[in-house]
Amino acid sequence: MQKISFTENLEFNDHKIVTMVLLETSFSKEIRILLKEGQQMKEHKAPFPIIVHIVQGTIDFGVQGTLHQLKQGDIITLDANVPHDLFALSDSIVRLTLSKQDAAERVEKVVADS
């Protein structure tokens, strides 16, 4: 058993999006993404299906050119290779669930390129 918190020890950064792998299991990787209001992740794709859960805040989640406003408590799934982007409408905590086969470093590269 492992226990983590998505809402403790938060360190938002005014200059960049903050990502951290909080938990790795036999089937998934749980990543916390901290976005300050106005920060964005440019359009990208994931090689495997993902789950996105808004723990706190509000984001615009773009999927193939259509914006979906997601707020605290919302959870969505996205198939592999679907272009998407994120824009924080307020300071937000996003839980990203990746397949065990996916690489957390890929997410860090997307953030660095945004």
Side-chain angles (χ1 to χ4, degrees):
M1 181 179 128
Q2 300 178 57
K3 180 180 178 277
I4 59 163
S5 173
F6 273 80
T7 58
E8 292 178 0
N9 303 316
L10 302 176
E11 295 184 23
F12 285 90
N13 186 309
D14 289 332
H15 306 291
K16 66 177 185 167
I17 297 168
V18 178
T19 64
M20 177 181 283
V21 177
L22 292 183
L23 186 67
E24 194 163 337
T25 72
S26 60
F27 60 90
S28 72
K29 295 173 184 156
E30 302 296 333
I31 298 174
R32 179 176 67 194
I33 304 172
L34 302 178
L35 298 106
K36 292 283 288 181
E37 180 178 343
Q39 289 180 330
Q40 70 175 359
M41 291 178 71
K42 291 182 181 175
E43 187 176 77
H44 58 282
K45 300 176 189 177
F48 300 95
I50 61 171
I51 298 172
V52 177
H53 173 203
I54 309 306
V55 176
Q56 176 181 304
T58 306
I59 65 167
D60 275 342
F61 192 87
V63 179
Q64 297 179 319
T66 301
L67 282 182
H68 304 271
Q69 191 172 98
L70 304 178
K71 62 184 183 331
Q72 182 172 326
D74 288 346
I75 187 168
I76 64 160
T77 62
L78 202 61
D79 288 331
N81 299 310
V82 175
H84 58 282
D85 59 84
L86 292 81
F87 180 81
L89 298 172
S90 64
D91 291 357
S92 299
I93 303 170
V94 177
R95 174 184 174 190
L96 172 62
T97 302
L98 297 181
S99 165
K100 180 71 170 181
Q101 300 162 320
D102 204 345
E105 294 79 16
R106 181 189 59 76
V107 177
E108 293 170 9
K109 182 171 177 2
V110 170
V111 167
D113 292 344
S114 290

